[in-house]
Amino acid sequence: ADRSLLPPDPELGVIAPGAWVRAKPPGKAAVYRGLVTKVKDDSIDVRFADVDSDDDSEEDSDGLGDVVTLSRKQPIELTNSGSGSLGTVCINLQQTPQDGKMTLRLFGKSDDVLKLLLKELGYAPQVAKAPQWPSVHRVLVPYDKDGRRLPKDTSQPMMWLDLNPGQAIRITPGHNIQGARQPVYMHIGASQPYTHKGETRRPAPGHGKVKQYSSESTSFVLSIEGVQMRLGVWWLVSAIKGDVEVLPIVNLQPEFHR
């Protein structure tokens, strides 16, 4: 990939490599913003942004054009970089198509690298505390039978959401399973049978049961229309608070608080 290792910002008020300027590129009537790459006695080299931009440009383009040379005699306005940074860092175990764009490229796990960074910055080791999740899995929530949040100041009763093992559940209307196109789930909400890995499943509405709660993954293990799904326990907390507009699942025959 063509590297875009941008030089650091120079001193304020100095036209030097790394400075951003506004000027007219050769053959252009308009003024464009550009990055200075080299300074000479009678000219400067600049890479301008947005000159002859092409939506079909290569993915590894950094948005700056080829180097052009400007005369020091033409009007050149020095501008703030606005970046406030030296570039981009990528931390990953494998190579990526964007590696050539990075100012700093590190191969490793982000947890390991950031621990080293904290040490380098002089911070004490940080101890993460696991959140306290609800131990009760049958809760009152401000939602209707289709999992839609109740209006404020409504007289409608709140619904019991029961995610204990064995409870019958269903996926709420408006889900995006067909849009997500994950093959193992494509029979849910389908209009015709769907075959995956030699197994054909008939269209199904999205009914199932809660199998168990997994403390290891802090999620509810669900069996829905013959396939397994997981629902993070944080959904239960969000449901109690009424944080989301629509719940992903509700009980098949929900009870309401009277």
Side-chain angles (χ1 to χ4, degrees):
D2 181 22
R3 287 187 179 275
S4 59
L5 303 179
L6 305 184
D9 296 342
E11 268 185 70
L12 291 177
V14 177
I15 295 182
W20 288 88
V21 297
R22 288 179 59 81
K24 291 182 180 179
K28 299 292 181 181
V31 173
Y32 291 85
R33 188 168 181 263
L35 177 71
V36 177
T37 60
K38 184 182 291 187
V39 175
K40 308 170 188 174
D41 290 339
D42 57 352
S43 64
I44 64 172
D45 289 348
V46 180
R47 296 182 65 201
F48 284 99
D50 302 324
V51 178
D52 298 327
S53 62
D54 185 357
D55 291 339
D56 295 327
S57 60
E58 293 296 324
E59 185 180 350
D60 61 2
S61 170
D62 59 10
L64 298 177
D66 294 333
V67 173
V68 298
T69 300
L70 304 180
S71 169
R72 295 292 293 262
K73 295 180 180 179
Q74 76 175 81
I76 298 173
E77 177 189 355
L78 190 64
T79 67
N80 293 329
S81 71
S83 65
S85 67
L86 300 180
T88 305
V89 179
C90 179
I91 305 170
N92 199 53
L93 288 172
Q94 299 175 330
Q95 290 181 320
T96 78
Q98 308 302 322
D99 285 356
K101 291 183 179 180
M102 300 300 124
T103 302
L104 182 61
R105 180 64 174 92
L106 301 173
F107 290 92
K109 293 182 179 180
S110 57
D111 284 354
D112 296 336
V113 173
L114 293 177
K115 284 178 183 177
L116 294 174
L117 177 61
L118 287 174
K119 183 178 180 181
E120 182 68 21
L121 294 174
Y123 288 100
Q126 304 295 305
V127 179
K129 294 183 179 179
Q132 297 296 313
W133 301 115
S135 57
V136 177
H137 298 157
R138 183 178 186 267
V139 295
L140 271 176
V141 298
Y143 292 85
D144 66 15
K145 63 181 180 62
D146 288 323
R148 299 191 179 280
R149 186 171 55 203
L150 298 176
K152 291 184 177 180
D153 302 322
T154 182
S155 59
Q156 292 179 257
M158 295 177 68
M159 178 182 68
W160 286 102
L161 180 60
D162 193 343
L163 297 181
N164 284 302
Q167 290 298 313
I169 54 174
R170 64 181 175 92
I171 297 175
T172 53
H175 62 77
N176 190 41
I177 290 178
Q178 290 298 306
R181 304 199 65 79
Q182 295 186 49
V184 70
Y185 304 132
M186 283 296 289
H187 61 296
I188 300 174
S191 59
Q192 57 187 9
Y194 185 84
T195 301
H196 173 58
K197 292 185 176 180
E199 182 180 0
T200 300
R201 295 183 182 272
R202 298 183 61 81
H207 295 178
K209 289 187 176 183
V210 179
K211 292 180 65 177
Q212 64 181 23
Y213 173 72
S214 170
S215 57
E216 182 179 355
S217 63
T218 60
S219 67
F220 298 96
V221 182
L222 316 176
S223 176
I224 297 182
E225 303 296 0
V227 293
Q228 180 173 291
M229 295 183 177
R230 288 182 182 270
L231 183 75
V233 70
W234 66 267
W235 273 105
L236 196 65
V237 177
S238 293
I240 294 171
K241 297 179 179 179
D243 285 342
V244 293
E245 187 175 339
V246 182
L247 299 178
I249 63 169
V250 292
N251 289 109
L252 190 59
Q253 295 181 333
E255 298 178 1
F256 292 87
H257 181 68
R258 302 295 179 180

